[in-house]
């Protein structure tokens, strides 16, 4: 499948998606090492396995959709009144989301799958575009969203996934300082 299934807000489709997503999160929270199967998820969500196969195709696509839920840009992006403040809040949430439990398992799966990794990068990119546009609307100088990916997301993913390091708040602030230091003037 090429993307998350389209759902009608408030309808049966949305209820099924929510139940299946919650089942995935609960199963991963109970045992991060468990290899999820469609029957296992279907039983927990109280849906038939065919429902999952029809909507998501594979466990991998379902996991990608659950992970994408965490990273999709939306109206809940921080608005602290400054780009620096917005980036601090965003980066802290991002690190919290991917550091433990379901988020860590899902980010590892994304790193192992190029198509999923590209989709995840697109969500971070979209978030940064919203924050940068908001900042320029306030007449604040702002770096290119691509540079924010390079300076904020890439080092966090590397240190967390490949080096197995914990991402401290101090390090997050250093990354933001580096990004803000690239601004003209």
């Amino acid at each position: 499948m090429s993307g998350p299934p389209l759902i009608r807000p408030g309808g049966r489709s949305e209820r099924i998606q929510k139940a299946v997503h919650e089942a995935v999160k609960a199963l991963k929270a109970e045992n991060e090492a468990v290899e999820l199967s469609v029957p296992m998820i279907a039983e927990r969500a109280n849906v038939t396995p065919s429902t999952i196969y029809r909507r998501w195709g594979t466990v991998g696509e379902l996991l990608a959709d659950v992970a994408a839920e965490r990273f999709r840009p939306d109206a809940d992006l921080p608005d602290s009144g400054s780009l620096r403040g917005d980036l601090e809040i965003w980066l802290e949430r991002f690190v919290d989301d991917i550091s433990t439990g379901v988020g860590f398992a899902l980010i590892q799966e994304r790193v192992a799958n190029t198509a999923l990794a590209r989709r995840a990068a697109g969500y971070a990119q979209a978030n940064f575009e919203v924050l940068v546009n908001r900042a320029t609307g306030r007449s604040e100088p702002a770096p290119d969203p691509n540079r924010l990916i390079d300076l904020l997301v890439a080092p966090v993913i590397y240190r967390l996934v490949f080096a197995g390091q914990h991402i401290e708040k101090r390090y997050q602030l250093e990354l933001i300082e580096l990004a803000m230091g690239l601004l003209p003037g």
Side-chain angles (χ1 to χ4, degrees), residues 23-37 40 44 59 63 70 96-109 160:
V24 168
K25 292 174 194 174
L27 289 165
K28 279 292 193 181
E30 290 168 11
N31 182 355
E32 291 179 29
V34 69
E35 184 154 340
L36 296 179
S37 68
M40 179 189 307
R44 177 63 68 96
V59 172
L63 293 175
R70 300 171 92 97
D96 286 347
D97 281 347
I98 67 169
S99 291
T100 59
V102 175
F104 185 71
L106 294 174
I107 203 72
Q108 286 180 309
E109 289 175 21
L160 182 68

Side-chain angles (χ1 to χ4, degrees), residues 81-180:
S82 74
L83 180 59
R84 180 185 300 271
D86 292 351
L87 291 174
E88 286 179 21
I89 295 166
W90 185 90
L91 188 58
E92 184 173 24
R93 286 180 185 175
F94 178 71
V95 168
D96 286 347
D97 281 347
I98 67 169
S99 291
T100 59
V102 175
F104 185 71
L106 294 174
I107 203 72
Q108 286 180 309
E109 289 175 21
R110 285 185 174 275
V111 169
N113 181 314
T114 304
L116 296 179
R118 286 184 180 143
R119 191 182 304 163
Y123 295 136
Q125 175 81 20
N127 279 314
F128 287 140
E129 287 172 3
V130 169
L131 296 179
V132 165
N133 288 338
R134 186 186 299 152
T136 56
R138 293 187 297 242
S139 299
E140 286 183 79
D144 182 88
N146 287 317
R147 293 299 290 152
L148 292 174
I149 295 288
D150 296 341
L151 297 169
L152 302 179
V153 176
V156 167
I157 298 293
Y158 174 81
R159 287 179 179 260
L160 182 68
V161 176
F162 297 106
Q165 297 174 348
H166 177 73
I167 309 300
E168 299 288 336
K169 179 69 175 179
R170 181 183 56 77
Y171 180 65
Q172 295 172 42
L173 294 175
E174 288 173 15
L175 293 175
I176 291 168
E177 189 64 34
L178 178 64
M180 297 305 289

